[in-house]
Amino acid sequence: METVLVTGACGQIGSELTATLRERYPGVTVVSSDVRSDSTLAQPYERLDVTDQSRLESVIREYDVDTVFHLAAILSATGEDDPQTAFDVNAGGLYAVLEAGRRENVDQVIVPSSIAVFGPQTPANPGEKTVLSPSTMYGITKVLTERLGEYYASRYGLDVRGLRLPGLISYETPPGGGTTDYAVDAFYAAAAGEEYTCFVRPDTRLPMMYMPDAISALIDLATADEADLRYRCEYNVSALSFTARELVDRIEDRVPEFEAYFDPDDRQRIADSWPDAVDDSAARADWGWEPEYGLEAVVDDMLANL
Ligand SMILES: NC(=O)c1ccc[n+]([C@@H]2O[C@H](COP(=O)([O-])OP(=O)(O)OC[C@H]3O[C@@H](n4cnc5c(N)ncnc54)[C@H](O)[C@@H]3O)[C@@H](O)[C@H]2O)c1
């Protein structure tokens, strides 16, 4: 890893991954990129639409990129509002990135998948090889991510890797329109002294993770010995599993004046289609995955930083 390109770098994960890579690997050039023209990320930054194949290839050539973290995507809730754009960006962008990787002889492409690959037919506590039955356009494009990543690895020898991230909690950059955004929004409201109306039922339990653990997972998987990996693009990683009520209660323990109400909307249907926990024993055994943050530590750290 000498020159890294991060796509979708202005987003919730990309903004923190870019900063961590620059801090942890000072000798590595990290080129951040996003379709946004209002980026506040440090240089080098390239305005780059991931569906633009030729521009993607010219950026890879210009910087002699050897590793791509492909994070540009339309998330689950936004994708249900506009399935066409979700398909164009998530499927089209993925194809463009993998093709560019193959044509420009990139060493490695990291493509995050999501718990959104699961669905109503998926059994409880799923492992990697299970029923994938996504009910959203986003989830369908994430199954494509896993399958196409595998295809480019076996057909063209491109080192493609990925993992199924759960809902992510962070304070640097607001989340980008996912179904688990309530677990972040509640903190922002509590820190601002505002009440919060949660868009899922209080008993909704979903897998979640604190951002520092997600960043470590992405980097640890990218730097793992390829020979140790049983899977390519479909590793489960789990850290936290709590209900919306449990989260609100933990915040209220620290901010007694915080008031939360529950008024489920369309996103409840998506939340109900996902498992409340996943089996991540393969990631733990194969590349040493181990989350650092439990729920109490997350609540303390979020409130301290907001
Ligand atoms: N945040 C989560 O909870 C979560 C959970 C599971 C998986 N993931 C996956 O991680 C990756 C990053 O997610 P995130 O939370 O940072 O998303 P985000 O929505 O916060 O950021 C995505 C970024 O992509 C950019 N983008 C959109 N269309 C683009 C295009 N055509 N070209 C270039 N950039 C474009 C957006 O401007 C945005 O900055 C995605 O693949 C997502 O599916 C995220």
Side-chain angles (χ1 to χ4, degrees):
M1 187 162 75
E2 286 177 16
T3 307
V4 176
L5 173 67
V6 181
T7 71
C10 294
Q12 190 189 7
I13 301 179
S15 54
E16 297 204 35
L17 178 69
T18 302
T20 305
L21 286 171
R22 285 177 175 157
E23 198 180 288
R24 209 183 283 184
Y25 303 101
V28 171
T29 303
V30 181
V31 182
S32 58
S33 72
D34 200 287
V35 75
R36 290 172 60 158
S37 53
D38 59 347
S39 162
T40 53
L41 295 172
Q43 294 294 332
Y45 174 81
E46 292 287 335
R47 180 153 189 252
L48 172 64
D49 180 337
V50 281
T51 62
D52 184 343
Q53 178 86 49
S54 68
R55 167 112 173 90
L56 190 52
E57 286 173 22
S58 79
V59 169
I60 289 176
R61 265 196 309 276
E62 182 187 337
Y63 289 92
D64 199 13
V65 168
D66 55 47
T67 305
V68 180
F69 283 86
H70 174 45
L71 305 180
I74 304 298
L75 301 198
S76 56
T78 313
E80 287 310 278
D81 290 340
D82 186 354
Q84 174 78 62
T85 303
F87 184 81
D88 292 346
V89 174
N90 297 6
L94 170 75
Y95 183 77
V97 166
L98 292 175
E99 260 306 282
R102 172 180 84 81
R103 291 185 199 170
E104 299 301 328
N105 294 314
V106 162
D107 292 338
Q108 190 181 62
V109 180
I110 306 298
V111 284
S113 183
S114 159
I115 55 164
V117 294
F118 302 126
Q121 280 85 45
T122 303
N125 204 36
E128 278 74 11
K129 296 295 179 193
T130 185
V131 178
L132 304 181
S133 59
S135 56
T136 59
M137 178 58 86
Y138 174 71
I140 290 165
T141 64
K142 286 299 172 185
V143 174
L144 180 72
T145 300
E146 296 183 1
R147 301 325 311 159
L148 211 56
E150 193 91 43
Y151 179 81
Y152 270 73
S154 62
R155 170 112 195 223
Y156 302 116
L158 185 61
D159 181 3
V160 190
R161 303 181 187 189
L163 72 192
R164 294 170 179 156
L165 290 171
L168 298 182
I169 301 172
S170 70
Y171 55 82
E172 291 284 354
T173 305
T179 304
T180 52
D181 288 8
Y182 63 89
V184 180
D185 298 344
F187 285 105
Y188 275 87
E194 293 166 1
E195 61 183 39
Y196 178 61
T197 302
C198 182
F199 57 77
V200 296
R201 286 189 316 267
D203 65 344
T204 305
R205 180 184 293 280
L206 286 174
M208 302 273 182
M209 185 181 291
Y210 202 35
M211 188 60 83
D213 281 331
I215 301 294
S216 295
L218 284 163
I219 296 175
D220 289 353
L221 177 62
T223 53
D225 191 338
E226 200 174 0
D228 293 336
L229 303 181
R230 265 176 287 173
Y231 305 111
R232 280 227 152 256
C233 302
E234 57 197 359
Y235 274 104
N236 289 340
V237 279
S238 120
L240 310 164
S241 176
F242 52 79
T243 66
R245 163 63 68 197
E246 285 164 356
L247 177 67
V248 164
D249 287 348
R250 294 292 82 74
I251 296 175
E252 277 172 1
D253 290 343
R254 277 86 168 168
V255 187
E257 62 279 15
F258 178 57
E259 296 215 40
Y261 304 92
F262 294 87
D263 185 14
D265 66 17
D266 290 348
R267 289 168 281 190
Q268 184 71 55
R269 179 187 64 81
I270 305 177
D272 288 343
S273 75
W274 293 345
D276 55 21
V278 300
D279 175 2
D280 66 355
S281 50
R284 288 173 189 263
D286 293 2
W287 46 276
W289 159 244
E290 199 178 340
E292 205 179 305
Y293 288 85
L295 180 56
E296 300 292 337
V298 171
V299 177
D300 285 337
D301 206 54
M302 282 294 287
L303 291 172
N305 281 288
L306 286 169

